[in-house]
Amino acid sequence: MPARALLKFSTPRDPGQLAAFINLRVLNPEHAHWRRGIEAAALYARAHGDLKVPFAYRVPAADGQAVEAEGWSASLAGFPLGQWIADNRRTYARGDMDADRVEQLEKLGMVWSHFDVAWEEGLAAARGWAAEHGHLLAPLDATYQGYRVGIWLKNQRAAARKAQEIEQRRAEGLPVQSAAGALSEVRREQLEDIDPSWCPAWPVEWQRAFHLVRFRLDAGHPLPTSPGDVVHQGEDLGRWVRSVRLGWDQLTTVQQWMCEQVLGIEPADEDEKPTPRRTQADKWAMNYRAAKQFYEREGHLQVPRKHVERTVGEDQEERELKLGAWIGNQRSRAATLAPERVEQLTAIGMRWA
């Protein structure tokens, strides 16, 4: 506030502002720009709880609503506080800032590193997102109050995996080229305090669905077992449970234990598993056997275009194959067929011309 109002002893005054005034004007006088900056920084810190000031931030005009809410004085209107904070960070990084100024800013909660500011912003967004959703396994497009928390978490997981690789190399006595870009232990612990499973060894999508199913069971709901039964936070939980049961053998031992002991999921029985999709090689082999069967019965391979050959496979399943169309297709593709396939068909009477 203006010096005249601050020094008017007949009115109540803020002891902190009075102490700052005496320090700046009497004990350690500074030039006007620094005084305005530290005054604006003190008011911003009081209103926002920190000095994470956006670079483009200016003190609001005297007629704005923020002035009344945050107590800005008219003499600071339009002051470029964001730029002032950035300039002081650069001065500090060069080692040119007086110890007294460093102390004044640190008392207000100054964060000197741009990287530290970015980390604190991301961590705050992560905490907010986790508070709303119950976990820190955000999808890639997740945002919190405009902050792209999903992208930020993806980057932190990549940094955590790099740190793990470095630790592994050191444990094996291998050289480490650089630790740049690796997540520090302190920062990893900060994220683990929010959600211990924030960086799983398997896909984040799998872990997110696991948590959502667990939350549902804890709330007293039954286990969803079919696709479409329950869709929560964009995840089809019934489809996930079904995929876990059918793909049990592809899970790690830890994942199997989690699903069985925590969620009560059991692997699918053999009769529940769908018939595996046939590969192109399987289809070719079936049609070749049908062609061989036709040749052994008819003595030639001049198959009518619409002919359907009935066969019984090794699984004792009867099939009807459009052999005539298949033979015609092989003739048209003769130039691109593998040599061994050409030899197989030629051996049972195939005429290519």
Side-chain angles (χ1 to χ4, degrees), residues 93-108:
R94 292 196 306 267
D96 295 337
M97 180 172 283
D98 294 339
D100 180 67
R101 289 190 174 186
V102 172
E103 184 180 358
Q104 290 179 57
L105 286 169
E106 288 182 345
K107 283 182 178 179
L108 297 177

Side-chain angles (χ1 to χ4, degrees), residues 28 31 36 62 70 93 97 120-121 144-146 157 167 188 216-217 224 233 267 277 333 336:
N28 190 20
H31 61 75
R36 294 183 71 203
E70 299 179 8
M97 180 172 283
E120 292 298 332
E121 289 177 349
Y144 179 76
Q145 296 182 354
R157 291 189 186 99
E167 291 176 6
R188 183 183 182 93
R216 184 170 178 80
L217 294 178
Q233 293 185 16
R277 295 183 62 181
R333 297 176 55 224
T336 59

Side-chain angles (χ1 to χ4, degrees), residues 5-22:
L6 186 61
L7 297 176
K8 189 175 182 181
F9 291 93
S10 60
T11 59
R13 295 174 306 284
D14 185 324
Q17 284 188 331
L18 184 58
F21 174 84
I22 294 173

Side-chain angles (χ1 to χ4, degrees), residues 202-271:
W202 38 80
V204 173
E205 296 78 11
W206 192 95
Q207 187 71 18
R208 180 166 60 248
F210 171 86
H211 271 293
L212 295 177
V213 172
R214 180 170 62 86
F215 294 157
R216 184 170 178 80
L217 294 178
D218 291 345
H221 298 290
L223 180 72
T225 56
S226 301
D229 278 357
V230 178
V231 178
H232 184 50
Q233 293 185 16
E235 299 289 341
D236 189 331
L237 304 186
R239 184 182 300 278
W240 179 82
V241 171
R242 183 173 182 271
S243 70
V244 165
R245 298 188 68 234
L246 295 176
W248 191 265
D249 294 338
Q250 281 71 52
L251 300 178
T252 66
T253 303
V254 176
Q255 287 175 298
Q256 290 176 353
W257 185 92
M258 291 167 59
C259 290
E260 194 168 15
Q261 300 300 321
V262 180
L263 303 182
I265 298 176
E266 297 180 352
D269 298 330
E270 290 299 323
D271 57 354

Side-chain angles (χ1 to χ4, degrees), residues 36-46 51 81 84-85 105 108:
R36 294 183 71 203
I38 201 68
E39 182 182 353
L43 289 170
Y44 186 95
R46 179 177 300 179
L51 276 186
L81 181 59
W84 185 85
I85 291 287
L105 286 169
L108 297 177

Side-chain angles (χ1 to χ4, degrees), residues 122-138 143-145 149 153 191 193-195 215 232-233:
L123 188 64
R127 285 196 181 101
W129 195 92
E132 290 185 358
H133 296 83
H135 58 83
L136 201 52
L137 301 157
T143 60
Y144 179 76
Q145 296 182 354
V149 68
L153 284 169
L191 289 167
D193 287 342
I194 302 173
D195 182 355
F215 294 157
H232 184 50
Q233 293 185 16

